[in-house]
Amino acid sequence: MNQNLSSFIWSVADLLRGDYKQSEYGRVILPFTVLRRLDCVLEPTKAAVLKEQEKRSAAGVNPEPFLLKKAQQLFYNTSPLDIKRLMGDQDNIRENLFSYVQAFSPDVRDIFDCFDFPVQIERLAKANLLYLVTEKFANIDLHPDVVTNEQMGSVFEELIRKFAEISNETAGEHFTPREVIRLMVNLLFIEDDDALTKPGVVRSMYDPTAGTGGMLSVAEDHLSEQNPDARLVMHGQELNGESYAICKADMLIKGQDIRHIIHGNTLSDDGLPGQHFDYMLSNPPFGVEWKKIQKEIKKEHEQLGYNGRFGPGLPRVSDGSLLFLMHLISKMRPAKDGGSRFGIVLNGSPLFTGGAGSGESEIRRYVLENDLLEAIIGLPTDMFYNTGISTYIWIVTNRKPKHRKGKVQLIDASGLWQKMRKSLGSKRKELSDEHIEKITRLFGDAKNASTKDADGQKVPISRIFKNEEFGYQTITVERPQRDDAGNVEKETKGKRKGQPRPDSSLRDTEEVPLSEAIESYFAREVLPHVPDAWIDHDKTKTGYEIPFNRHFYVFKPPRELAEIDAELKGVTDRIVEMIGGLSQ
């Protein structure tokens, strides 16, 4: 049913071919689908709404709350027109369609504005396609008693996916592969299974980089599969106007309150300030610089400190992904009120970029010292539409179960994938249902685990570490300056008067694991080689890094020389034989 309906709707593309580029079809098809759905949803209450509008306007009161009540929806339309009526006046369809869309309540009008729908109406009219396209949609029955909210949601998502696939070059920016979202949702919900299966449970979900709403939709589908009684209240913010319009339309179609979907830059202008959520998901843009909003972010960091979102520190300006991590931490429901859990997809750089004392290291330090990091899952390469790089899911929570307290789980899922039948942009690999199940089970077990690699060798796949194992102290090792005769020069003033003067050209640093005392490390690793060295304790800094790949590296000894020689001899013998064959 859904497949047929979305294919039928997509067949409007046949009309657009030639006048529109493939990658532009969605700009017509998506808003028209929304328009037809809303048209059908409001039909039963249309007469009552118009009557109410007349009555309240005559009385000189703001009609909005009364109209919402009469429409029995979270939106309304005050035009006497509907799509069927538009068809009756072919000559004036452009003006009539325009005035019909303008008569929606402000929240819905905003969706059509962000779709640039007025521009599309003009463009279709100029190409003499407006009546034909509108007629095609007028013949599709999208009444809620024929197509439920859930089915309509699936149809709309199918259309979004088609749109994203044919406009491949930008798809990844606003589109996260569905199987990656399903995995993330599994990881978020698995430890709360008991609570989430209770009747009538209501939870809030937030995505600060909502794109076209895919993460929110998959989370909702997953929860309603587990418990049809459960309700997920969606919140999100999105910067790109078209993606925002699609997301908001998707939420509207599914019966969500679209006032919770905000347009704008989440980092410089949080659209939901002071709000906290039960669950959050995010796939922020990888490695995108934040120069344009540097002023606002710096101001919040310096003036508000930990009362703002960016207390721990600021990452380098070339990559803003850790800003999203801090933003999400600030949105966590306090632990005393039930706490929160979120999943965020990041590239490799937030794991280890920046030495001790840098912004990145301070952010990792804050996350680990406050015991917020539950797990990191390394995904296969070539999983995303717009990049082939390695990516990692961080699971962060302020309500760790007892057996996880003080610990972090690393799961290396980079080998769990299957080849796609057809590549989409950079995406060549996907997770199967079995892979998702295996990763979810490894996470749920929260234990060290191994698997066998292609050569049958046992390799780790899940490892548990104490938080402090990711910490280290960077110590500065000084050595004395000597005169030409080789004698140590002394300081002549200041608090180090009489002590050896350090030679800056011989200065070195060492990284000492947090679990080890600095003095014993120094005595063992440094003094045997340079007995005249000392530590400048004023310069010691604490750092944190998560060298993910190092923890899963397994040394493979090189093959025996005799074996390699024998193989080479076999190859050269074959070549000699072939040359002999040629010269006959």
Side-chain angles (χ1 to χ4, degrees):
M1 143 88 198
N2 295 350
Q3 210 63 36
N4 294 347
L5 184 53
S6 57
S7 301
F8 181 63
I9 293 173
W10 194 258
S11 69
V12 174
D14 297 338
L15 292 170
L16 303 175
R17 209 163 273 126
D19 291 285
Y20 275 78
K21 289 205 300 244
Q22 259 200 339
S23 59
E24 297 174 322
Y25 294 168
R27 294 178 186 176
V28 173
I29 292 171
L30 295 176
F32 262 106
T33 306
V34 176
L35 183 63
R36 179 59 178 146
R37 172 64 169 185
L38 303 186
D39 187 65
C40 293
V41 166
L42 293 175
E43 192 183 304
T45 60
K46 189 151 190 80
V49 167
L50 292 176
K51 210 167 149 192
E52 190 72 14
Q53 160 83 353
E54 209 175 309
K55 179 176 147 194
R56 298 297 169 182
S57 299
V61 295
N62 172 20
E64 184 163 20
F66 303 102
L67 299 179
L68 289 169
K69 205 169 179 181
K70 285 289 178 200
Q72 294 164 24
Q73 298 291 340
L74 295 163
F75 55 92
Y76 58 82
N77 185 304
T78 56
S79 166
L81 293 163
D82 58 24
I83 286 191
K84 286 277 193 262
R85 282 210 182 94
L86 289 170
M87 302 320 299
D89 185 359
Q90 190 167 351
D91 296 339
N92 296 308
I93 187 156
R94 188 178 67 95
E95 295 77 10
N96 288 344
L97 182 55
F98 193 71
S99 75
Y100 177 45
V101 171
Q102 289 303 100
F104 275 106
S105 42
D107 260 346
V108 174
R109 219 167 45 231
D110 179 41
I111 293 176
F112 290 108
D113 287 346
C114 286
F115 268 127
D116 271 342
F117 195 49
V119 175
Q120 300 308 332
I121 293 176
E122 288 293 339
R123 191 170 162 186
L124 288 167
K126 274 205 181 96
N128 291 321
L129 290 172
L130 186 58
Y131 187 81
L132 292 170
V133 170
T134 312
E135 181 181 41
K136 187 105 177 174
F137 278 95
N139 291 326
I140 303 173
D141 187 354
L142 296 182
H143 283 79
D145 47 3
V146 178
V147 185
T148 64
N149 275 355
E150 199 183 341
Q151 288 170 328
M152 194 62 224
S154 309
V155 167
F156 199 66
E157 273 184 52
E158 181 66 18
L159 294 173
I160 295 168
R161 194 180 58 76
K162 284 187 160 143
F163 179 35
E165 281 178 13
I166 58 170
S167 54
N168 225 337
E169 67 283 359
T170 56
E173 257 179 63
H174 320 301
F175 207 75
T176 307
R178 284 298 177 267
E179 81 272 21
V180 174
I181 308 175
R182 286 214 312 280
L183 170 63
M184 290 173 78
V185 169
N186 273 5
L187 300 175
L188 283 199
F189 288 164
I190 183 173
E191 287 173 348
D192 304 339
D193 272 355
D194 296 345
L196 294 174
T197 45
K198 294 200 171 101
V201 65
V202 178
R203 290 286 184 270
S204 59
M205 169 72 78
Y206 169 65
D207 181 350
T209 50
T212 54
M215 289 200 157
L216 298 174
S217 295
V218 174
E220 184 182 38
D221 295 346
H222 183 91
L223 190 55
S224 59
E225 267 171 40
Q226 276 189 310
N227 177 2
D229 272 355
R231 207 168 130 256
L232 209 51
V233 184
M234 311 293 199
H235 301 73
Q237 184 161 349
E238 172 55 33
L239 179 58
N240 175 283
E242 191 170 57
S243 297
Y244 160 75
I246 295 172
C247 177
K248 202 166 168 179
D250 191 21
M251 295 301 135
L252 182 67
I253 276 169
K254 291 185 169 135
Q256 287 278 342
D257 185 346
I258 53 173
R259 287 174 303 185
H260 298 152
I261 308 294
I262 311 291
H263 187 201
N265 187 315
T266 307
L267 296 177
S268 58
D269 186 15
D270 179 7
L272 298 162
Q275 292 201 36
H276 298 110
F277 306 99
D278 299 309
Y279 298 105
M280 297 176 273
L281 284 168
S282 179
N283 174 19
F286 298 137
V288 172
E289 65 163 37
W290 49 283
K291 213 178 195 67
K292 278 194 282 197
I293 51 171
Q294 194 172 4
K295 205 168 121 211
E296 295 92 323
I297 304 284
K298 267 189 133 158
K299 188 176 165 192
E300 182 170 338
H301 170 66
E302 285 160 8
Q303 294 184 0
L304 295 177
Y306 283 90
N307 293 326
R309 294 170 294 165
F310 310 117
L314 297 178
R316 62 201 60 195
V317 97
S318 58
D319 186 356
S321 43
L322 281 171
L323 295 173
F324 285 102
L325 180 82
M326 287 189 286
H327 171 78
L328 286 168
I329 289 171
S330 78
K331 294 283 182 200
M332 293 176 106
R333 193 181 291 293
K336 63 176 178 13
D337 301 334
S340 185
R341 177 177 287 112
F342 71 79
I344 181 171
V345 182
L346 298 170
N347 64 11
S349 112
L351 292 167
F352 46 75
T353 301
S358 68
E360 291 90 350
S361 176
E362 286 299 295
I363 296 164
R364 289 190 290 269
R365 179 180 184 174
Y366 178 82
V367 171
L368 286 159
E369 289 187 352
N370 286 286
D371 200 17
L372 296 173
L373 185 59
E374 200 162 29
I376 295 178
I377 296 90
L379 295 175
T381 54
D382 304 323
M383 282 296 286
F384 287 82
Y385 300 104
N386 58 349
T387 175
I389 59 171
S390 297
T391 50
Y392 301 84
I393 299 172
W394 293 42
I395 302 291
V396 179
T397 184
N398 55 1
R399 52 183 175 88
K400 276 190 185 181
K402 203 169 168 193
H403 64 277
R404 283 191 182 273
K405 288 207 186 302
K407 296 179 185 144
V408 174
Q409 181 179 14
L410 302 184
I411 298 174
D412 178 14
S414 61
L416 300 177
W417 54 274
Q418 62 186 28
K419 209 167 168 30
M420 287 176 68
R421 284 203 311 275
K422 176 174 167 277
S423 295
L424 288 172
S426 301
K427 183 170 173 58
R428 295 185 187 87
K429 299 174 185 170
E430 62 187 2
L431 300 170
S432 68
D433 291 348
E434 291 74 39
H435 293 140
I436 292 174
E437 201 180 306
K438 181 170 183 179
I439 299 165
T440 308
R441 200 169 53 244
L442 285 165
F443 175 74
D445 291 346
K447 292 200 285 261
N448 288 313
S450 298
T451 188
K452 285 204 162 73
D453 69 5
D455 303 328
Q457 192 178 353
K458 203 171 157 196
V459 292
I461 190 166
S462 165
R463 298 196 61 186
I464 308 286
F465 294 91
K466 292 189 182 125
N467 292 340
E468 54 273 16
E469 288 182 71
F470 299 111
Y472 61 90
Q473 288 182 297
T474 298
I475 57 170
T476 301
V477 178
E478 299 283 16
R479 292 179 58 198
Q481 199 163 316
R482 295 178 184 271
D483 59 22
D484 295 339
N487 300 316
V488 171
E489 294 184 6
K490 301 276 174 72
E491 295 280 13
T492 54
K493 49 184 184 290
K495 67 174 182 177
R496 295 197 70 254
K497 189 176 177 183
Q499 291 179 329
R501 174 179 295 156
D503 183 342
S504 60
S505 66
L506 298 175
R507 184 173 294 149
D508 203 359
T509 58
E510 291 274 335
E511 288 186 3
V512 183
L514 264 191
S515 52
E516 189 165 353
I518 287 176
E519 297 300 345
S520 57
Y521 175 93
F522 186 68
R524 186 183 75 245
E525 299 289 338
V526 180
L527 287 179
H529 309 288
V530 278
D532 59 358
W534 72 92
I535 299 169
D536 182 346
H537 288 288
D538 292 343
K539 292 195 175 96
T540 299
K541 286 179 182 159
T542 302
Y544 279 84
E545 66 170 4
I546 303 167
F548 192 95
N549 293 342
R550 193 192 308 159
H551 289 306
F552 290 99
Y553 173 72
V554 175
F555 174 71
K556 287 194 175 164
R559 293 186 303 157
E560 294 292 329
L561 276 175
E563 189 188 330
I564 297 170
D565 279 346
E567 202 171 293
L568 280 173
K569 187 175 182 317
V571 173
T572 48
D573 287 352
R574 254 199 337 274
I575 292 171
V576 168
E577 205 177 303
M578 285 157 77
I579 291 169
L582 285 173
S583 57
Q584 277 173 13

